[in-house]
Amino acid sequence: MKEVRFFFVPGAENQTELPSEEAMHAMRVLRIKGGDEMMLMDGEGNFFRAEVTIAATHHCYYHIIEKMPQERQWKGYVHLAIAPTKMMDRIEWLMEKAVEIGVDEVSFLNCQFSERRLIKSARMEKISISAVKQSHKAWKPILNEMMSYNKFIESHREGAKFIAHCYDEVPRTYLFDELRHLDAEEKVTVLIGPEGDFSIDEVEYAIKQGYKSVHLGKSRLRTETAGLSAVMMMQLAKE
């Protein structure tokens, strides 16, 4: 049985043509032709069963056969705020895996000890979309531009807020224990610092702004591993 291909089409219900990059992939790689069926996802909770009407060199037109609203795969709202790693391949790996597991929003932080202070937003968006298609997620996560740590901390955020760090002199609780005591539908934001961790001043400032001080277990983790662990905990605690 031929595998049905998924394509990411924002506003798919009101469109009749695949975006140019998706069309090129459909034509050149998958060799899709007129009459073939494909699945579209709009990133807002809907899948669409569609049929190709015209397959040209650079264009792929379709008509929708069936709209299939999807149920959310997890409860609440999962928000990871993380300082990007010096090596981009590590934060790109994190983005891919976090989307596959399930995350609603990702923010990038410019911290005192950050070794990377710029990210390629278009590249991260592309990785996110690829992971959404690969894992058949009906919702595409929100990706925020990189912002200063203080600006993020001072912004109003609903729900539970946590900052994970490695300072023994600051009292910490285990993140998973904290998450298990929350209502499953509650919004959760977890902050993960850069390779050199947050500064002690940043930790103390977050606590003053309503963030709870937590750790991720006994192991000392790389930034990208800590980020993925936090996403996993937020997911598992809601099961």
Side-chain angles (χ1 to χ4, degrees):
M1 181 177 178
K2 188 176 180 180
E3 180 183 0
V4 177
R5 301 293 183 173
F6 278 77
F7 296 90
F8 180 72
V9 186
E13 192 170 15
N14 299 313
Q15 306 295 328
T16 58
E17 181 180 1
L18 293 184
S20 58
E21 188 168 334
E22 295 282 63
M24 289 179 64
H25 182 69
M27 299 298 100
R28 296 182 179 181
V29 179
L30 302 178
R31 306 295 184 184
I32 283 179
K33 59 185 182 300
D36 284 351
E37 270 198 16
M38 57 184 177
M39 293 291 290
L40 312 179
M41 47 176 58
D42 62 6
E44 298 180 358
N46 300 297
F47 290 165
F48 301 88
R49 189 163 63 90
E51 182 180 273
V52 177
T53 54
I54 301 176
T57 305
H58 300 289
H59 300 276
C60 182
Y61 294 88
Y62 64 84
H63 77 266
I64 292 174
I65 300 171
E66 180 184 6
K67 179 179 180 179
M68 296 177 286
Q70 302 296 297
E71 293 185 2
R72 291 190 65 85
Q73 295 174 307
W74 59 89
K75 298 177 181 178
Y77 192 89
V78 176
H79 184 183
L80 175 68
I82 188 168
T85 52
K86 181 179 180 180
M87 301 299 292
M88 274 305 298
D89 60 337
R90 291 183 178 176
I91 202 68
E92 289 175 357
W93 174 86
L94 166 65
M95 174 60 65
E96 178 183 75
K97 302 311 174 188
V99 173
E100 288 178 9
I101 292 168
V103 64
D104 293 289
E105 186 172 359
V106 178
S107 297
F108 299 103
L109 306 176
N110 185 357
C111 303
Q112 184 176 336
F113 297 150
S114 290
E115 295 192 64
R116 172 169 295 279
R117 301 186 184 278
L118 293 172
I119 59 168
K120 296 179 180 179
S121 299
R123 169 68 177 167
M124 300 304 286
E125 188 77 13
K126 185 176 180 179
I127 291 170
S128 173
I129 290 171
S130 178
V132 163
K133 293 192 295 183
Q134 179 67 32
S135 58
H136 296 179
K137 292 290 188 297
W139 280 266
K140 188 187 78 64
I142 296 169
L143 301 186
N144 296 315
E145 295 286 342
M146 196 167 184
M147 69 176 70
S148 73
Y149 175 83
N150 282 2
K151 181 179 179 180
F152 184 90
I153 291 295
E154 292 164 3
S155 301
H156 172 72
R157 302 191 185 282
E158 296 180 356
K161 303 180 295 183
F162 302 95
I163 180 168
H165 62 88
C166 299
Y167 292 101
D168 291 332
E169 61 267 38
V170 180
R172 297 172 296 163
T173 54
Y174 184 35
L175 175 61
F176 191 67
D177 288 340
E178 293 286 349
L179 294 171
R180 285 191 302 175
H181 292 100
L182 298 177
D183 184 280
E185 296 295 341
E186 186 160 4
K187 293 184 177 181
V188 179
T189 300
V190 177
L191 274 58
I192 302 293
E195 282 95 333
D197 205 348
F198 296 111
S199 70
I200 189 71
D201 290 339
E202 286 174 329
V203 172
E204 291 175 345
Y205 187 54
I207 294 171
K208 288 180 181 178
Q209 297 297 318
Y211 285 77
K212 288 187 177 181
S213 170
V214 297
H215 64 83
L216 301 177
K218 296 180 180 180
S219 298
R220 191 172 182 88
L221 307 174
R222 289 177 179 264
T223 294
E224 69 276 15
T225 312
L228 193 60
S229 295
V231 171
M232 283 292 299
M233 289 183 191
M234 285 187 275
Q235 282 284 357
L236 293 173
K238 294 174 179 295
E239 291 293 331

